[in-house]
Amino acid sequence: QVQLVESGGGLVKPGGSLRLSCAASGFTFSDYYMSWIRQAPGKGLEWVSYISSSGSTIYYADSVKGRFTISRDNAKNSLYLQMNSLRAEDTAVYYCARGKGLYGFDIWGQGTMVTVSS
Amino acid sequence: EIVLTQSPGTLSLSPGERATLSCRASQSVSSSYLAWYQQKPGQAPRLLIYGASSRATGIPDRFSGSGSGTDFTLTISRLEPEDFAVYYCQQYGSSPMTFGQGTKVEIK
């Protein structure tokens, strides 16, 4: 079935790095744009980053620009988020989600928790 | 950046009642790239409405979306017990792809 599965979350110290992965299955990954969206504990949703289906177009939220890097490997059906210089305010559940044209983000993963704390 | 403001923050209603949720944008949303999501505790968000007014696959017809430009509405015609949740709007027509702060629909 159509599925997105995130991994790579965990506890990291401020200033540290982490790489999140999102494995896609059940659909043609290269047909979809992808995003990372996060949710701090008890808070609302915050869009983090976007990558087009080919990887040629990338956008970031100002809060992560220069620290996070989104990428994808269509041959491996995988999406990544390299997170450097992590801060306490980056603590959140990180979701990957797929989208296509006007159809919105119709499939989301279950999320992976990132905790930045000393 | 397009700022989305949802109102009210909390809606207290009984099952069977009608719910009307508002999402107002600080500037026009490109080509109606406006979506609504439902989120329950401990779960990922679920897409309800895309393109401002189109229901996503498998979404019951008691959910409807309307609006264009800067004013959008999600209506739940008759609340079912499973509809009590938090609802978010999102614009995905321009970067950053912002979300509203959410409206909680709670049981009165």
Side-chain angles (χ1 to χ4, degrees):
Chain A
Q1 74 278 25
V2 175
Q3 197 173 6
L4 296 170
V5 179
E6 302 95 337
S7 60
L11 175 63
V12 61
K13 289 182 168 53
S17 297
L18 214 52
R19 189 194 196 208
L20 304 184
S21 298
C22 171
S25 59
F27 64 98
T28 304
F29 182 66
S30 58
D31 283 349
Y32 291 82
Y33 54 80
M34 300 293 294
S35 267
W36 289 98
I37 296 135
R38 68 185 180 184
Q39 188 169 36
K43 302 297 184 183
L45 300 171
E46 179 188 14
W47 172 81
V48 172
S49 185
Y50 160 99
I51 186 167
S52 62
S53 56
S54 65
S56 60
T57 300
I58 286 173
Y59 302 121
Y60 297 100
D62 285 347
S63 57
V64 307
K65 202 172 293 182
R67 300 188 299 122
F68 290 12
T69 302
I70 191 171
S71 61
R72 66 189 296 162
D73 186 335
N74 286 344
K76 293 184 177 179
N77 294 331
S78 292
L79 174 73
Y80 306 101
L81 187 68
Q82 177 66 43
M83 303 187 296
N84 298 332
S85 303
L86 282 161
R87 306 166 180 167
E89 54 266 35
D90 295 318
T91 294
V93 174
Y94 284 74
Y95 296 100
C96 62
R98 78 169 195 183
K100 190 173 186 179
L102 188 62
Y103 296 103
F105 292 101
D106 66 335
I107 299 293
W108 294 57
Q110 85 289 350
T112 188
M113 183 70 203
V114 172
T115 302
V116 184
S117 174
S118 55
Chain B
E1 171 177 336
I2 297 177
V3 176
L4 298 179
T5 303
Q6 292 187 240
S7 62
T10 301
L11 204 49
S12 298
L13 295 167
S14 300
E17 290 194 292
R18 181 185 189 89
T20 303
L21 288 66
S22 173
C23 176
R24 180 158 291 176
S26 61
Q27 53 189 283
S28 185
V29 174
S30 174
S31 302
S32 295
Y33 278 68
L34 192 286
W36 289 93
Y37 301 89
Q38 177 193 68
Q39 187 179 35
K40 297 178 181 179
Q43 296 184 16
R46 177 174 73 142
L47 176 68
L48 299 175
I49 301 289
Y50 65 89
S53 60
S54 297
R55 267 188 304 277
T57 303
I59 301 303
D61 61 7
R62 64 180 181 272
F63 292 92
S64 63
S66 63
S68 63
T70 60
D71 285 295
F72 300 89
T73 301
L74 174 70
T75 302
I76 310 171
S77 58
R78 294 170 311 279
L79 283 164
E80 296 288 341
E82 62 268 27
D83 299 336
F84 292 93
V86 179
Y87 293 83
Y88 295 94
C89 59
Q90 183 206 20
Q91 69 80 22
Y92 52 105
S94 63
S95 179
M97 297 177 178
T98 44
F99 287 89
Q101 81 279 17
T103 290
K104 181 178 183 180
V105 178
E106 65 176 23
I107 299 176
K108 186 174 181 181

